[in-house]
Structure formats: structure tokens, C-alpha cells
Amino acid sequence: MNRHLRHPAAACLAGSAALLIASVAGAQSSRSTSDWRRSDRSSIQQEERYASPQSFAFELRFGPYSPEVDEDPASGGSFEETFGDDQRFYFGMEFDWLPLRIPFVGVIGPGLGLGITSASANAFEAGSDVRAEAEETSLTIMPLHLSAVVRIDELMRRTGIPIVPYAKAGVGMGLWYSVSGPRLARPDGVRAQGITWGTHLAAGGMLALNWLDRRASSQLDDSTGINHTYLFGEWMYANLDGFGSRPQMHVGTSTWIAGLALDM
């Protein structure tokens, strides 16, 4: 009888061991699928997994611009005297190539930006402070820069928080020209032009808009290759003073910029 009891006991023990192994394997499988790095249930990870490759960014930029012409004592306050102290409108574009990804930080690469702003007013009559209605003077400035761009987007990629800080630093250049003459025949007026070199610094933050409608964002990515759409705000310092050399017209500024950016 003892012999017959040993066989059922062994069978029960083997069955229990099998159930224990199966339950451990199931727990390990459940644990691995709940890992945030491999989760198929995370919409954020799904979006990153199936997003098209991202190497470029494009920005449209808008903001006030007050040229620092009168920062140079040699100007004698001529800019404010001629054009007033009102802020001028600045429009710009920037194209960034971001081929390198720094683990746990973000992407880095070169960025090329250009913009334009202008000021105009009635010219002064010769030898007086009276403005001539038929005469006009203008100053047009086209700031350019070539910068290193760092975008810290790993927090967004890993957590879904739609904030991307960034910074830029590089060399800047201001193309400028001034025209004075009859209002209706300005191409024949007195013209001056030049180039002023300097440095370019910027720092800001971007708000990703994909969270508003992830399905539409994925469809946009599929059809155009645009990964993310952002609104951004940026402090920009275009220190275009000829690196301190003279004579150079100071055509840079320190200002706040807002705009729209696209990842591609």
C-alpha cells in the first residue's frame, strides 16, 4: 500500500512544481511587458517607435527688433534721432541639421538663420532739424547666424512632457544698407551699405503640440515626414558690433522671439 501511495504523491509534487514554474514564467513575462522601455500599450512609445527619422528642424521667427546703433558712442544718437525709439518688426527663418543624438540629453548640430528688419522716416532738410515731406531715409538690416544648436528633447521622448529646452551659440553677421533721397525716386538716392560681424547667442523653450491630437500628428508624419510641431519662445542676443573694432555700425540687438518650429 505504501508503494501505491508514493506514486500519487510524486505525481502531485511534479504537478505542483509544474504549476509553480508556469506561474513564475507568467510573472516574468508580465513584468517584461510592463517595462516602459518595451511597452506596446504606451501611446508615447508607439509614437516614437513608428515615427519617421528626425534629422532636421525648420523655424519661422517673429519679434521686436531695436538695433543697437546708438550703443556706439561714435553714432551720437543718430539712429534714435532719425527713426525714433519705437521697436521694429523682425521676421526670420532658421534651418537646423541635427544629426547627432546625445544619450539622455537630446540632439546637437549646426543651425543657419537669417532675418530682416527695417526702419524708415522722413529725412531732415540739409542743415536743419526740419523733416522734408518729399525726402525719405531708411535703414534695412538682415541679421544672419551660423550656430551650434542643442535641443534637450529626451525628457519629452521618455515621459511625454511636451517641453523641449534648447540653446544656440555661434557667429553672427549683419548685412545692412541705408537709402536717402526723394520718396518716389529712392533707387537714385544716396546709398550706404556694409557688413558687421559679431556673435550670436540664444536660449528658449518649445511646446510640442502633438499631444493635442496624436492621431492627426501621426497622420501628418506619415504624409509629410513632420515628427513634431512646436510653439517656441526665445531670448536672442545678436551682438553685431564688429567684435569691438571700429568703425563698425552696431546693428545687433537683444530681444525676445516667438515662432513656429517643425521637426522633420
Side-chain angles (χ1 to χ4, degrees):
M1 183 173 178
N2 292 341
R3 179 179 179 183
H4 290 293
L5 287 175
R6 282 199 300 269
H7 288 295
C12 290
L13 183 59
S16 300
L19 288 174
L20 179 60
I21 293 171
S23 63
V24 171
Q28 289 177 341
S29 176
S30 175
R31 190 180 304 117
S32 64
T33 56
S34 64
D35 191 335
W36 67 269
R37 293 169 295 182
R38 300 182 180 180
S39 175
D40 292 333
R41 293 173 293 180
S42 170
S43 60
I44 299 168
Q45 294 299 318
Q46 287 280 19
E47 179 184 341
E48 294 298 335
R49 177 175 299 179
Y50 298 111
S52 62
Q54 175 186 325
S55 300
F56 305 98
F58 176 75
E59 297 178 3
L60 291 176
R61 306 163 56 79
F62 311 90
Y65 198 103
S66 181
E68 297 177 342
V69 177
D70 293 340
E71 293 292 321
D72 182 2
S75 74
S78 59
F79 180 86
E80 183 174 338
E81 180 182 354
T82 302
F83 300 109
D85 58 359
D86 294 338
Q87 295 278 1
R88 312 297 164 177
F89 178 73
Y90 166 86
F91 169 73
M93 296 181 291
E94 182 172 320
F95 180 78
D96 300 336
W97 179 42
L98 305 168
L100 302 178
R101 177 162 293 279
I102 304 173
F104 307 107
V105 178
V107 289
I108 186 171
L112 177 64
L114 58 93
I116 187 169
T117 186
S118 64
S120 62
N122 291 335
F124 290 106
E125 293 181 358
S128 75
D129 57 358
V130 178
R131 294 185 183 271
E133 293 295 330
E135 299 282 327
E136 187 176 53
T137 184
S138 68
L139 174 65
T140 300
I141 302 170
M142 291 179 284
L144 297 90
H145 69 268
L146 178 63
S147 300
V149 180
V150 179
R151 295 174 61 179
I152 306 172
D153 65 354
E154 278 293 315
L155 180 64
M156 182 187 70
R157 291 168 62 89
R158 291 176 178 272
T159 68
I161 298 174
I163 303 296
V164 178
Y166 65 90
K168 306 172 185 177
V171 62
M173 179 179 69
L175 304 174
W176 61 268
Y177 65 90
S178 177
V179 179
S180 298
R183 186 180 298 276
L184 299 180
R186 291 179 62 218
D188 298 327
V190 178
R191 184 182 180 99
Q193 60 187 5
I195 299 175
T196 305
W197 292 87
T199 55
H200 181 90
L201 299 172
M206 312 176 87
L207 173 64
L209 303 180
N210 294 43
W211 61 272
L212 294 174
D213 191 334
R214 293 193 180 276
R215 184 184 298 273
S217 299
S218 296
Q219 293 174 347
L220 181 65
D221 189 12
D222 291 338
S223 60
T224 66
I226 296 175
N227 300 101
H228 299 91
T229 304
Y230 302 93
L231 294 177
F232 70 87
E234 171 187 304
W235 169 77
M236 179 184 77
Y237 182 34
N239 186 26
L240 305 178
D241 62 351
F243 297 107
S245 63
R246 294 185 179 181
Q248 294 282 338
M249 182 181 288
H250 294 198
V251 294
T253 193
S254 176
T255 188
W256 290 96
I257 299 294
L260 178 71
L262 306 173
D263 276 344
M264 297 169 283

